[in-house]
Amino acid sequence: MACLERASPALKEILLKLYRANKSIEIDHHLYEFGSVEYHIQSSASDEHHMYLSISTPLLSQEVLLPYGISHHTKQMITAICSDVVEIIEPAKEGYQLTLRLDFSKLPSGKDTLKVIAEISAVQAIILSSRLKEMLMNVDSHDTFQGMYKPIKLVYRPSEPFFIVRQPQKFIAVFPIHFKDKPDVIIATTFFQELMDVGSSEKWAKAPPCCWSPIPPPELRGELFEDLSTTGGFVSFEISSWHVKGKKLDKTVWSLLNFYAYVKFHVKSTRSFIQRRMRKRLEGLVELLHKRNIKEVEVEEEEEEQSRKIQGCKCMIRISNLPKPTVLKRRYNAFSRTIKRIRSRIKIQGFGRFRRRWLKMPKFSSSMGYTKLE
Amino acid sequence: MVGANTLRLYLTCIRNTLDAAMCAASAVCHLQNFPCQEVERHNKPEVELKTSPELLLNPVLICRNEAEKCLIETSINSLRISLKVKQADELENILTKKFLRFLSMRAEAFQVLRRKPVQGYDISFLITNYHCEEMQKHKLIDFIVQFMEDIDKEISELKMSEHTRQAGGYRVS
């Protein structure tokens, strides 16, 4: 699939590993990537300098299929990565559309090495985008020919065709949008409407004008009914000559090929964003409800405890009723006990209780005292 | 400014009505325990059954506008509050539906929330005498009013953040 990254990360890692290895490694890897892309990497210990990379990928095709798979122009573009390093083997290995022989001994040194390896890892993107590049390169052509204004249907995946309509000095790329779920449709259509509004502003005057409509645009009149029945409407981009000059051609083509992938990615990430927000808000609301009621319970418990403290013991003698010397004596005793406690170095757990129970001096009755009779 | 004023008035009206509804149910200033008159040893919220008209009070419908309204139905042992939230466009519509459905599915966390809203409304609360025994009446009312404010706020924030994310999205050149 035309995913958002050009270079295959797994392939790049393996190529870098092979390049950095001091001795030749025996490798026979099959890599499968999303979108029915398959790579086969072979490296033999006997052949130090060469390794073989075979690629199988669904091609961006028109209604009339190309009988010979990859075009000559595409092959030229692949060889142009680094002609010393990359050589196309004919015929390709069975089951694959393209087989390359890579000679890492001829790789340029320094930063260019990584650049070349990254471009080799992106060979699937080159194959995929070559067809569209060939079409868009002639945008400035003033030739009128039979077939102008007739939409060309490009199919990568059967459920995601898009149309290119050639017009004088511009191309129009039309993407029929289809989603199964209604929320996805609404998120996508809101996105397209916002895209239209933002695109029409002065800041983005240089970007290709974007247009969304719920009904098929006039350029697609006469197309098959199944291609024109969608749930998310139609998005059109106008590609002019300045959008495909020089290095911009690559970027424009890659953006058009990735449009469907980007829209799906946006819808998916929007749904997960909404889900995260909802969870956060739910936690906040639950906390709010329980906090209100827990606070009340805590306040009630505190009040109960305070009322118990105030109530106290009925047999307590009020200190204010005692004579002053007794009050002073009691305070001095309490103070001396505190000092002793601080100064005592040895503390035995539970000794205090033991002392109070078993070591207290017995009280002898005084001749002055009396016993109350019941 | 006008919107904020009408929202304030709307919420104040709901608060006062809830206050009156919870007190009006009985002379003891809260919903009281009332066993089911029809089935022995059963205790059901009468506002849901609606089998005994003598146990039901008149429902009160408070409308802020055509799109936003609140229905308060009271009975001797329970109170049901149903809310209809404003949905200006399709995006707000799906955001509101998703969010309220998300909350309703987790109703056990809120205790007073109904799993399924009453027909014609977006979300419903069911407060019984047991809830009034566990929680304070005025705090429950505060929570419901706060809940309504938070829903409005959340939907607006979601919509705003959506627009921001979309504007910073796809760039071709």
Side-chain angles (χ1 to χ4, degrees), chain A residues 186 194 255 262 269-270 273 277-278 281-282 285 288-290 293, chain B residues 94 99 110-111 135-136 139 146 150 154 157 161-163 165 169-170:
Chain A
I186 292 167
E194 191 67 30
S255 297
Y262 186 81
S269 60
T270 302
F273 171 74
R277 283 290 298 245
M278 291 194 301
R281 185 59 75 168
L282 171 80
L285 286 169
L288 186 72
L289 176 68
H290 291 303
N293 287 295
Chain B
I94 58 151
F99 183 47
F110 289 101
Q111 298 175 46
M135 305 180 213
Q136 298 231 337
K139 293 295 177 190
Q146 184 70 40
D150 283 353
E154 185 62 31
E157 279 177 15
S161 53
E162 258 313 293
H163 282 299
R165 291 173 77 244
Y170 192 75

PDB file of all heavy atoms in Angstrom, chain A residues 186 194 255 262 269-270 273 277-278 281-282 285 288-290 293, chain B residues 94 99 110-111 135-136 139 146 150 154 157 161-163 165 169-170:
ATOM      1  N   ILE A 186     -18.981  11.505   8.869  1.00  0.00           N
ATOM      2  CA  ILE A 186     -19.149  12.886   9.360  1.00  0.00           C
ATOM      3  C   ILE A 186     -17.787  13.498   9.700  1.00  0.00           C
ATOM      4  O   ILE A 186     -17.521  14.664   9.361  1.00  0.00           O
ATOM      5  CB  ILE A 186     -20.096  12.907  10.574  1.00  0.00           C
ATOM      6  CG1 ILE A 186     -21.504  12.546  10.109  1.00  0.00           C
ATOM      7  CG2 ILE A 186     -20.103  14.267  11.241  1.00  0.00           C
ATOM      8  CD1 ILE A 186     -22.470  12.232  11.198  1.00  0.00           C
ATOM      9  N   GLU A 194     -13.284  21.692   6.176  1.00  0.00           N
ATOM     10  CA  GLU A 194     -12.253  22.529   6.814  1.00  0.00           C
ATOM     11  C   GLU A 194     -11.070  22.703   5.848  1.00  0.00           C
ATOM     12  O   GLU A 194     -10.494  23.795   5.753  1.00  0.00           O
ATOM     13  CB  GLU A 194     -11.801  21.859   8.114  1.00  0.00           C
ATOM     14  CG  GLU A 194     -10.939  22.716   9.010  1.00  0.00           C
ATOM     15  CD  GLU A 194     -11.658  23.899   9.607  1.00  0.00           C
ATOM     16  OE1 GLU A 194     -12.886  23.818   9.826  1.00  0.00           O
ATOM     17  OE2 GLU A 194     -10.995  24.922   9.829  1.00  0.00           O
ATOM     18  N   SER A 255       1.914  12.690  -2.335  1.00  0.00           N
ATOM     19  CA  SER A 255       0.773  13.182  -1.544  1.00  0.00           C
ATOM     20  C   SER A 255      -0.546  12.684  -2.132  1.00  0.00           C
ATOM     21  O   SER A 255      -1.450  12.279  -1.405  1.00  0.00           O
ATOM     22  CB  SER A 255       0.762  14.705  -1.522  1.00  0.00           C
ATOM     23  OG  SER A 255       1.919  15.188  -0.896  1.00  0.00           O
ATOM     24  N   TYR A 262      -4.030   8.956   4.301  1.00  0.00           N
ATOM     25  CA  TYR A 262      -4.033  10.055   5.257  1.00  0.00           C
ATOM     26  C   TYR A 262      -5.421  10.281   5.839  1.00  0.00           C
ATOM     27  O   TYR A 262      -5.578  10.508   7.044  1.00  0.00           O
ATOM     28  CB  TYR A 262      -3.513  11.350   4.627  1.00  0.00           C
ATOM     29  CG  TYR A 262      -3.391  12.438   5.647  1.00  0.00           C
ATOM     30  CD1 TYR A 262      -2.282  12.505   6.489  1.00  0.00           C
ATOM     31  CD2 TYR A 262      -4.423  13.348   5.842  1.00  0.00           C
ATOM     32  CE1 TYR A 262      -2.196  13.453   7.474  1.00  0.00           C
ATOM     33  CE2 TYR A 262      -4.340  14.309   6.830  1.00  0.00           C
ATOM     34  CZ  TYR A 262      -3.220  14.361   7.640  1.00  0.00           C
ATOM     35  OH  TYR A 262      -3.142  15.289   8.640  1.00  0.00           O
ATOM     36  N   SER A 269      -7.353   8.521  14.112  1.00  0.00           N
ATOM     37  CA  SER A 269      -6.756   9.251  15.240  1.00  0.00           C
ATOM     38  C   SER A 269      -7.772  10.183  15.881  1.00  0.00           C
ATOM     39  O   SER A 269      -7.728  10.414  17.096  1.00  0.00           O
ATOM     40  CB  SER A 269      -5.502  10.007  14.805  1.00  0.00           C
ATOM     41  OG  SER A 269      -5.801  10.926  13.810  1.00  0.00           O
ATOM     42  N   THR A 270      -8.745  10.678  15.115  1.00  0.00           N
ATOM     43  CA  THR A 270      -9.806  11.513  15.698  1.00  0.00           C
ATOM     44  C   THR A 270     -10.645  10.680  16.657  1.00  0.00           C
ATOM     45  O   THR A 270     -10.984  11.132  17.757  1.00  0.00           O
ATOM     46  CB  THR A 270     -10.699  12.097  14.594  1.00  0.00           C
ATOM     47  OG1 THR A 270      -9.893  12.850  13.712  1.00  0.00           O
ATOM     48  CG2 THR A 270     -11.789  12.976  15.155  1.00  0.00           C
ATOM     49  N   PHE A 273      -8.746  10.114  19.804  1.00  0.00           N
ATOM     50  CA  PHE A 273      -8.679  11.375  20.555  1.00  0.00           C
ATOM     51  C   PHE A 273      -9.983  11.598  21.320  1.00  0.00           C
ATOM     52  O   PHE A 273      -9.976  11.928  22.516  1.00  0.00           O
ATOM     53  CB  PHE A 273      -8.399  12.524  19.580  1.00  0.00           C
ATOM     54  CG  PHE A 273      -8.527  13.888  20.183  1.00  0.00           C
ATOM     55  CD1 PHE A 273      -7.560  14.368  21.042  1.00  0.00           C
ATOM     56  CD2 PHE A 273      -9.613  14.694  19.892  1.00  0.00           C
ATOM     57  CE1 PHE A 273      -7.679  15.628  21.614  1.00  0.00           C
ATOM     58  CE2 PHE A 273      -9.732  15.952  20.453  1.00  0.00           C
ATOM     59  CZ  PHE A 273      -8.772  16.416  21.315  1.00  0.00           C
ATOM     60  N   ARG A 277     -10.516  11.750  25.479  1.00  0.00           N
ATOM     61  CA  ARG A 277     -11.160  12.894  26.135  1.00  0.00           C
ATOM     62  C   ARG A 277     -12.351  12.442  26.960  1.00  0.00           C
ATOM     63  O   ARG A 277     -12.584  12.924  28.063  1.00  0.00           O
ATOM     64  CB  ARG A 277     -11.651  13.911  25.098  1.00  0.00           C
ATOM     65  CG  ARG A 277     -10.585  14.787  24.483  1.00  0.00           C
ATOM     66  CD  ARG A 277     -10.026  15.766  25.438  1.00  0.00           C
ATOM     67  NE  ARG A 277     -10.998  16.695  25.920  1.00  0.00           N
ATOM     68  CZ  ARG A 277     -11.001  17.997  25.690  1.00  0.00           C
ATOM     69  NH1 ARG A 277     -10.058  18.523  24.953  1.00  0.00           N
ATOM     70  NH2 ARG A 277     -11.922  18.775  26.197  1.00  0.00           N
ATOM     71  N   MET A 278     -13.118  11.520  26.393  1.00  0.00           N
ATOM     72  CA  MET A 278     -14.319  11.048  27.093  1.00  0.00           C
ATOM     73  C   MET A 278     -13.922  10.341  28.380  1.00  0.00           C
ATOM     74  O   MET A 278     -14.547  10.543  29.432  1.00  0.00           O
ATOM     75  CB  MET A 278     -15.129  10.092  26.202  1.00  0.00           C
ATOM     76  CG  MET A 278     -15.776  10.796  25.032  1.00  0.00           C
ATOM     77  SD  MET A 278     -17.038   9.866  24.174  1.00  0.00           S
ATOM     78  CE  MET A 278     -16.202   8.417  23.641  1.00  0.00           C
ATOM     79  N   ARG A 281     -12.893  12.891  30.977  1.00  0.00           N
ATOM     80  CA  ARG A 281     -14.045  13.625  31.508  1.00  0.00           C
ATOM     81  C   ARG A 281     -14.859  12.725  32.444  1.00  0.00           C
ATOM     82  O   ARG A 281     -15.343  13.182  33.477  1.00  0.00           O
ATOM     83  CB  ARG A 281     -14.919  14.128  30.349  1.00  0.00           C
ATOM     84  CG  ARG A 281     -16.066  14.997  30.757  1.00  0.00           C
ATOM     85  CD  ARG A 281     -15.691  16.226  31.478  1.00  0.00           C
ATOM     86  NE  ARG A 281     -15.133  17.255  30.648  1.00  0.00           N
ATOM     87  CZ  ARG A 281     -14.935  18.504  31.031  1.00  0.00           C
ATOM     88  NH1 ARG A 281     -15.247  18.874  32.252  1.00  0.00           N
ATOM     89  NH2 ARG A 281     -14.419  19.394  30.230  1.00  0.00           N
ATOM     90  N   LEU A 282     -14.990  11.467  32.074  1.00  0.00           N
ATOM     91  CA  LEU A 282     -15.722  10.516  32.928  1.00  0.00           C
ATOM     92  C   LEU A 282     -15.068  10.433  34.297  1.00  0.00           C
ATOM     93  O   LEU A 282     -15.746  10.512  35.329  1.00  0.00           O
ATOM     94  CB  LEU A 282     -15.724   9.128  32.257  1.00  0.00           C
ATOM     95  CG  LEU A 282     -16.245   7.985  33.110  1.00  0.00           C
ATOM     96  CD1 LEU A 282     -17.751   7.966  33.137  1.00  0.00           C
ATOM     97  CD2 LEU A 282     -15.746   6.643  32.600  1.00  0.00           C
ATOM     98  N   LEU A 285     -15.836  13.524  36.303  1.00  0.00           N
ATOM     99  CA  LEU A 285     -17.210  13.606  36.809  1.00  0.00           C
ATOM    100  C   LEU A 285     -17.426  12.644  37.981  1.00  0.00           C
ATOM    101  O   LEU A 285     -18.076  13.003  38.967  1.00  0.00           O
ATOM    102  CB  LEU A 285     -18.198  13.279  35.685  1.00  0.00           C
ATOM    103  CG  LEU A 285     -18.378  14.362  34.632  1.00  0.00           C
ATOM    104  CD1 LEU A 285     -19.170  13.830  33.444  1.00  0.00           C
ATOM    105  CD2 LEU A 285     -19.065  15.586  35.197  1.00  0.00           C
ATOM    106  N   LEU A 288     -15.806  14.030  40.970  1.00  0.00           N
ATOM    107  CA  LEU A 288     -16.593  15.157  41.467  1.00  0.00           C
ATOM    108  C   LEU A 288     -17.736  14.666  42.334  1.00  0.00           C
ATOM    109  O   LEU A 288     -17.979  15.179  43.430  1.00  0.00           O
ATOM    110  CB  LEU A 288     -17.140  15.923  40.259  1.00  0.00           C
ATOM    111  CG  LEU A 288     -17.868  17.221  40.519  1.00  0.00           C
ATOM    112  CD1 LEU A 288     -16.903  18.286  40.949  1.00  0.00           C
ATOM    113  CD2 LEU A 288     -18.594  17.680  39.256  1.00  0.00           C
ATOM    114  N   LEU A 289     -18.432  13.628  41.859  1.00  0.00           N
ATOM    115  CA  LEU A 289     -19.584  13.099  42.602  1.00  0.00           C
ATOM    116  C   LEU A 289     -19.145  12.515  43.933  1.00  0.00           C
ATOM    117  O   LEU A 289     -19.707  12.828  44.976  1.00  0.00           O
ATOM    118  CB  LEU A 289     -20.291  12.028  41.766  1.00  0.00           C
ATOM    119  CG  LEU A 289     -21.459  11.326  42.454  1.00  0.00           C
ATOM    120  CD1 LEU A 289     -22.619  12.267  42.658  1.00  0.00           C
ATOM    121  CD2 LEU A 289     -21.915  10.108  41.645  1.00  0.00           C
ATOM    122  N   HIS A 290     -18.093  11.695  43.895  1.00  0.00           N
ATOM    123  CA  HIS A 290     -17.675  11.036  45.131  1.00  0.00           C
ATOM    124  C   HIS A 290     -16.984  12.011  46.063  1.00  0.00           C
ATOM    125  O   HIS A 290     -17.120  11.905  47.276  1.00  0.00           O
ATOM    126  CB  HIS A 290     -16.767   9.853  44.806  1.00  0.00           C
ATOM    127  CG  HIS A 290     -17.504   8.749  44.131  1.00  0.00           C
ATOM    128  ND1 HIS A 290     -18.599   8.154  44.696  1.00  0.00           N
ATOM    129  CD2 HIS A 290     -17.329   8.160  42.929  1.00  0.00           C
ATOM    130  CE1 HIS A 290     -19.047   7.237  43.872  1.00  0.00           C
ATOM    131  NE2 HIS A 290     -18.310   7.217  42.788  1.00  0.00           N
ATOM    132  N   ASN A 293     -19.518  13.878  48.126  1.00  0.00           N
ATOM    133  CA  ASN A 293     -20.136  13.087  49.190  1.00  0.00           C
ATOM    134  C   ASN A 293     -19.131  12.624  50.216  1.00  0.00           C
ATOM    135  O   ASN A 293     -19.442  12.556  51.398  1.00  0.00           O
ATOM    136  CB  ASN A 293     -20.874  11.899  48.562  1.00  0.00           C
ATOM    137  CG  ASN A 293     -22.115  12.386  47.876  1.00  0.00           C
ATOM    138  OD1 ASN A 293     -23.031  12.879  48.525  1.00  0.00           O
ATOM    139  ND2 ASN A 293     -22.156  12.307  46.564  1.00  0.00           N
TER     140      ASN A 293
ATOM    141  N   ILE B  94     -22.878  13.702  16.491  1.00  0.00           N
ATOM    142  CA  ILE B  94     -22.165  12.441  16.768  1.00  0.00           C
ATOM    143  C   ILE B  94     -21.329  12.555  18.027  1.00  0.00           C
ATOM    144  O   ILE B  94     -21.227  11.589  18.794  1.00  0.00           O
ATOM    145  CB  ILE B  94     -21.292  11.949  15.591  1.00  0.00           C
ATOM    146  CG1 ILE B  94     -20.241  12.955  15.144  1.00  0.00           C
ATOM    147  CG2 ILE B  94     -22.109  11.504  14.411  1.00  0.00           C
ATOM    148  CD1 ILE B  94     -19.025  12.279  14.566  1.00  0.00           C
ATOM    149  N   PHE B  99     -20.488  10.606  23.362  1.00  0.00           N
ATOM    150  CA  PHE B  99     -20.094  10.930  24.719  1.00  0.00           C
ATOM    151  C   PHE B  99     -21.152  10.465  25.720  1.00  0.00           C
ATOM    152  O   PHE B  99     -20.838   9.822  26.720  1.00  0.00           O
ATOM    153  CB  PHE B  99     -19.856  12.445  24.829  1.00  0.00           C
ATOM    154  CG  PHE B  99     -19.382  12.909  26.173  1.00  0.00           C
ATOM    155  CD1 PHE B  99     -18.363  12.254  26.827  1.00  0.00           C
ATOM    156  CD2 PHE B  99     -19.959  13.997  26.791  1.00  0.00           C
ATOM    157  CE1 PHE B  99     -17.916  12.657  28.066  1.00  0.00           C
ATOM    158  CE2 PHE B  99     -19.528  14.418  28.030  1.00  0.00           C
ATOM    159  CZ  PHE B  99     -18.506  13.754  28.673  1.00  0.00           C
ATOM    160  N   PHE B 110     -21.621   6.168  38.359  1.00  0.00           N
ATOM    161  CA  PHE B 110     -22.310   7.380  38.799  1.00  0.00           C
ATOM    162  C   PHE B 110     -23.448   7.095  39.770  1.00  0.00           C
ATOM    163  O   PHE B 110     -23.930   8.000  40.438  1.00  0.00           O
ATOM    164  CB  PHE B 110     -22.899   8.137  37.597  1.00  0.00           C
ATOM    165  CG  PHE B 110     -21.863   8.777  36.742  1.00  0.00           C
ATOM    166  CD1 PHE B 110     -21.466   8.184  35.564  1.00  0.00           C
ATOM    167  CD2 PHE B 110     -21.288   9.971  37.108  1.00  0.00           C
ATOM    168  CE1 PHE B 110     -20.515   8.781  34.771  1.00  0.00           C
ATOM    169  CE2 PHE B 110     -20.331  10.571  36.316  1.00  0.00           C
ATOM    170  CZ  PHE B 110     -19.943   9.974  35.143  1.00  0.00           C
ATOM    171  N   GLN B 111     -23.896   5.856  39.821  1.00  0.00           N
ATOM    172  CA  GLN B 111     -24.996   5.412  40.687  1.00  0.00           C
ATOM    173  C   GLN B 111     -26.342   6.033  40.330  1.00  0.00           C
ATOM    174  O   GLN B 111     -27.348   5.351  40.288  1.00  0.00           O
ATOM    175  CB  GLN B 111     -24.704   5.713  42.180  1.00  0.00           C
ATOM    176  CG  GLN B 111     -23.482   4.996  42.704  1.00  0.00           C
ATOM    177  CD  GLN B 111     -23.160   5.391  44.112  1.00  0.00           C
ATOM    178  OE1 GLN B 111     -24.035   5.442  44.973  1.00  0.00           O
ATOM    179  NE2 GLN B 111     -21.911   5.688  44.369  1.00  0.00           N
ATOM    180  N   MET B 135     -26.411  10.081  50.030  1.00  0.00           N
ATOM    181  CA  MET B 135     -25.812  11.356  49.602  1.00  0.00           C
ATOM    182  C   MET B 135     -26.697  12.514  50.037  1.00  0.00           C
ATOM    183  O   MET B 135     -27.893  12.345  50.281  1.00  0.00           O
ATOM    184  CB  MET B 135     -25.687  11.386  48.077  1.00  0.00           C
ATOM    185  CG  MET B 135     -24.914  10.213  47.517  1.00  0.00           C
ATOM    186  SD  MET B 135     -24.821  10.358  45.727  1.00  0.00           S
ATOM    187  CE  MET B 135     -24.841   8.678  45.239  1.00  0.00           C
ATOM    188  N   GLN B 136     -26.108  13.670  50.077  1.00  0.00           N
ATOM    189  CA  GLN B 136     -26.851  14.858  50.483  1.00  0.00           C
ATOM    190  C   GLN B 136     -27.637  15.414  49.301  1.00  0.00           C
ATOM    191  O   GLN B 136     -27.129  15.466  48.179  1.00  0.00           O
ATOM    192  CB  GLN B 136     -25.878  15.925  50.963  1.00  0.00           C
ATOM    193  CG  GLN B 136     -25.095  15.484  52.178  1.00  0.00           C
ATOM    194  CD  GLN B 136     -25.158  16.509  53.276  1.00  0.00           C
ATOM    195  OE1 GLN B 136     -25.402  17.666  53.025  1.00  0.00           O
ATOM    196  NE2 GLN B 136     -24.942  16.070  54.485  1.00  0.00           N
ATOM    197  N   LYS B 139     -26.170  18.414  47.456  1.00  0.00           N
ATOM    198  CA  LYS B 139     -24.959  18.039  46.721  1.00  0.00           C
ATOM    199  C   LYS B 139     -25.311  17.284  45.440  1.00  0.00           C
ATOM    200  O   LYS B 139     -24.657  17.431  44.417  1.00  0.00           O
ATOM    201  CB  LYS B 139     -24.049  17.155  47.594  1.00  0.00           C
ATOM    202  CG  LYS B 139     -23.465  17.897  48.766  1.00  0.00           C
ATOM    203  CD  LYS B 139     -22.536  19.005  48.322  1.00  0.00           C
ATOM    204  CE  LYS B 139     -22.001  19.791  49.489  1.00  0.00           C
ATOM    205  NZ  LYS B 139     -21.282  21.000  49.047  1.00  0.00           N
ATOM    206  N   GLN B 146     -23.834  20.737  37.612  1.00  0.00           N
ATOM    207  CA  GLN B 146     -22.426  20.745  37.162  1.00  0.00           C
ATOM    208  C   GLN B 146     -22.240  19.793  35.979  1.00  0.00           C
ATOM    209  O   GLN B 146     -21.525  20.091  35.029  1.00  0.00           O
ATOM    210  CB  GLN B 146     -21.538  20.322  38.336  1.00  0.00           C
ATOM    211  CG  GLN B 146     -20.047  20.360  38.065  1.00  0.00           C
ATOM    212  CD  GLN B 146     -19.521  21.754  37.929  1.00  0.00           C
ATOM    213  OE1 GLN B 146     -19.936  22.651  38.671  1.00  0.00           O
ATOM    214  NE2 GLN B 146     -18.650  21.984  36.975  1.00  0.00           N
ATOM    215  N   ASP B 150     -20.777  20.664  32.358  1.00  0.00           N
ATOM    216  CA  ASP B 150     -19.585  19.965  31.863  1.00  0.00           C
ATOM    217  C   ASP B 150     -19.833  19.322  30.513  1.00  0.00           C
ATOM    218  O   ASP B 150     -18.939  19.275  29.663  1.00  0.00           O
ATOM    219  CB  ASP B 150     -19.143  18.885  32.858  1.00  0.00           C
ATOM    220  CG  ASP B 150     -18.408  19.483  34.049  1.00  0.00           C
ATOM    221  OD1 ASP B 150     -18.145  20.701  34.014  1.00  0.00           O
ATOM    222  OD2 ASP B 150     -18.108  18.744  35.002  1.00  0.00           O
ATOM    223  N   GLU B 154     -17.662  20.156  27.362  1.00  0.00           N
ATOM    224  CA  GLU B 154     -16.877  19.090  26.732  1.00  0.00           C
ATOM    225  C   GLU B 154     -17.174  19.005  25.240  1.00  0.00           C
ATOM    226  O   GLU B 154     -16.256  18.867  24.438  1.00  0.00           O
ATOM    227  CB  GLU B 154     -17.186  17.757  27.419  1.00  0.00           C
ATOM    228  CG  GLU B 154     -16.359  16.582  26.941  1.00  0.00           C
ATOM    229  CD  GLU B 154     -14.887  16.744  27.193  1.00  0.00           C
ATOM    230  OE1 GLU B 154     -14.517  17.394  28.178  1.00  0.00           O
ATOM    231  OE2 GLU B 154     -14.087  16.254  26.367  1.00  0.00           O
ATOM    232  N   GLU B 157     -15.514  21.882  23.507  1.00  0.00           N
ATOM    233  CA  GLU B 157     -14.053  21.731  23.448  1.00  0.00           C
ATOM    234  C   GLU B 157     -13.653  20.677  22.423  1.00  0.00           C
ATOM    235  O   GLU B 157     -12.680  20.857  21.697  1.00  0.00           O
ATOM    236  CB  GLU B 157     -13.516  21.337  24.829  1.00  0.00           C
ATOM    237  CG  GLU B 157     -13.360  22.503  25.778  1.00  0.00           C
ATOM    238  CD  GLU B 157     -12.900  22.081  27.157  1.00  0.00           C
ATOM    239  OE1 GLU B 157     -12.438  20.936  27.326  1.00  0.00           O
ATOM    240  OE2 GLU B 157     -13.018  22.887  28.069  1.00  0.00           O
ATOM    241  N   SER B 161     -11.308  21.504  19.251  1.00  0.00           N
ATOM    242  CA  SER B 161     -10.033  20.814  19.057  1.00  0.00           C
ATOM    243  C   SER B 161     -10.049  20.038  17.753  1.00  0.00           C
ATOM    244  O   SER B 161      -9.013  19.909  17.099  1.00  0.00           O
ATOM    245  CB  SER B 161      -9.711  19.894  20.221  1.00  0.00           C
ATOM    246  OG  SER B 161     -10.777  19.038  20.467  1.00  0.00           O
ATOM    247  N   GLU B 162     -11.220  19.567  17.355  1.00  0.00           N
ATOM    248  CA  GLU B 162     -11.355  18.903  16.062  1.00  0.00           C
ATOM    249  C   GLU B 162     -11.000  19.844  14.929  1.00  0.00           C
ATOM    250  O   GLU B 162     -10.238  19.501  14.029  1.00  0.00           O
ATOM    251  CB  GLU B 162     -12.818  18.444  15.859  1.00  0.00           C
ATOM    252  CG  GLU B 162     -13.037  16.993  16.093  1.00  0.00           C
ATOM    253  CD  GLU B 162     -12.019  16.146  15.421  1.00  0.00           C
ATOM    254  OE1 GLU B 162     -11.995  16.098  14.169  1.00  0.00           O
ATOM    255  OE2 GLU B 162     -11.169  15.561  16.115  1.00  0.00           O
ATOM    256  N   HIS B 163     -11.561  21.044  14.986  1.00  0.00           N
ATOM    257  CA  HIS B 163     -11.299  22.032  13.926  1.00  0.00           C
ATOM    258  C   HIS B 163      -9.823  22.400  13.889  1.00  0.00           C
ATOM    259  O   HIS B 163      -9.234  22.562  12.815  1.00  0.00           O
ATOM    260  CB  HIS B 163     -12.158  23.282  14.140  1.00  0.00           C
ATOM    261  CG  HIS B 163     -13.576  23.118  13.707  1.00  0.00           C
ATOM    262  ND1 HIS B 163     -13.928  22.827  12.408  1.00  0.00           N
ATOM    263  CD2 HIS B 163     -14.732  23.166  14.390  1.00  0.00           C
ATOM    264  CE1 HIS B 163     -15.243  22.713  12.319  1.00  0.00           C
ATOM    265  NE2 HIS B 163     -15.757  22.906  13.509  1.00  0.00           N
ATOM    266  N   ARG B 165      -7.283  20.522  14.789  1.00  0.00           N
ATOM    267  CA  ARG B 165      -6.516  19.408  14.230  1.00  0.00           C
ATOM    268  C   ARG B 165      -6.694  19.327  12.726  1.00  0.00           C
ATOM    269  O   ARG B 165      -5.757  19.042  11.993  1.00  0.00           O
ATOM    270  CB  ARG B 165      -6.958  18.090  14.872  1.00  0.00           C
ATOM    271  CG  ARG B 165      -6.566  17.971  16.325  1.00  0.00           C
ATOM    272  CD  ARG B 165      -7.148  16.736  16.982  1.00  0.00           C
ATOM    273  NE  ARG B 165      -6.397  15.562  16.586  1.00  0.00           N
ATOM    274  CZ  ARG B 165      -6.888  14.569  15.883  1.00  0.00           C
ATOM    275  NH1 ARG B 165      -8.134  14.573  15.502  1.00  0.00           N
ATOM    276  NH2 ARG B 165      -6.156  13.540  15.557  1.00  0.00           N
ATOM    277  N   GLY B 169      -3.891  19.901   9.314  1.00  0.00           N
ATOM    278  CA  GLY B 169      -3.753  18.585   8.697  1.00  0.00           C
ATOM    279  C   GLY B 169      -2.998  18.561   7.396  1.00  0.00           C
ATOM    280  O   GLY B 169      -1.847  18.958   7.308  1.00  0.00           O
ATOM    281  N   TYR B 170      -3.686  18.042   6.371  1.00  0.00           N
ATOM    282  CA  TYR B 170      -3.054  17.717   5.102  1.00  0.00           C
ATOM    283  C   TYR B 170      -2.457  18.915   4.403  1.00  0.00           C
ATOM    284  O   TYR B 170      -3.132  19.900   4.172  1.00  0.00           O
ATOM    285  CB  TYR B 170      -4.133  17.078   4.218  1.00  0.00           C
ATOM    286  CG  TYR B 170      -3.627  16.415   2.984  1.00  0.00           C
ATOM    287  CD1 TYR B 170      -2.992  15.192   3.025  1.00  0.00           C
ATOM    288  CD2 TYR B 170      -3.802  17.023   1.762  1.00  0.00           C
ATOM    289  CE1 TYR B 170      -2.531  14.584   1.872  1.00  0.00           C
ATOM    290  CE2 TYR B 170      -3.356  16.410   0.604  1.00  0.00           C
ATOM    291  CZ  TYR B 170      -2.717  15.191   0.673  1.00  0.00           C
ATOM    292  OH  TYR B 170      -2.274  14.598  -0.456  1.00  0.00           O
TER     293      TYR B 170
END
